[in-house]
Amino acid sequence: MARGSNTGNRALVQGAARALDQFKYEVARELGLQGVEDGYWGEIPSRQCGAVGGHMVRKMIEMAEQQMAGRR
């Protein structure tokens, strides 16, 4: 995910890491965060970084619910 991140979190689906990384930057743009395009998030306050993660989770849940509703 982020450059220099050693948290141990890994995507469970092989090949999903790149898509999740793109998704992170897409959400950051939607939230109006500037200066993260180069991959450096050090200037962004932790509250805003957390907001990116929270919005990612909300959007992923919404996508999963839509997929589940479409299967019925």
Side-chain angles (χ1 to χ4, degrees):
M1 299 289 253
R3 183 174 48 191
S5 176
N6 292 325
T7 61
N9 293 335
R10 293 182 187 93
L12 296 176
V13 177
Q14 190 175 20
R18 179 174 285 155
L20 286 169
D21 202 42
Q22 289 175 331
F23 185 48
K24 174 177 64 178
Y25 286 99
E26 185 180 309
V27 170
R29 279 191 301 276
E30 287 177 10
L31 293 175
L33 295 183
Q34 297 178 354
V36 296
E37 294 83 18
D38 62 356
Y40 180 68
W41 289 70
E43 300 292 326
I44 306 299
S46 59
R47 183 179 185 106
Q48 289 180 324
C49 288
V52 171
H55 279 78
M56 285 177 68
V57 170
R58 283 187 206 102
K59 286 179 162 258
M60 286 187 276
I61 291 171
E62 182 181 342
M63 286 187 280
E65 287 175 343
Q66 289 173 352
Q67 282 182 337
M68 292 171 72
R71 291 184 189 164
R72 292 183 185 184

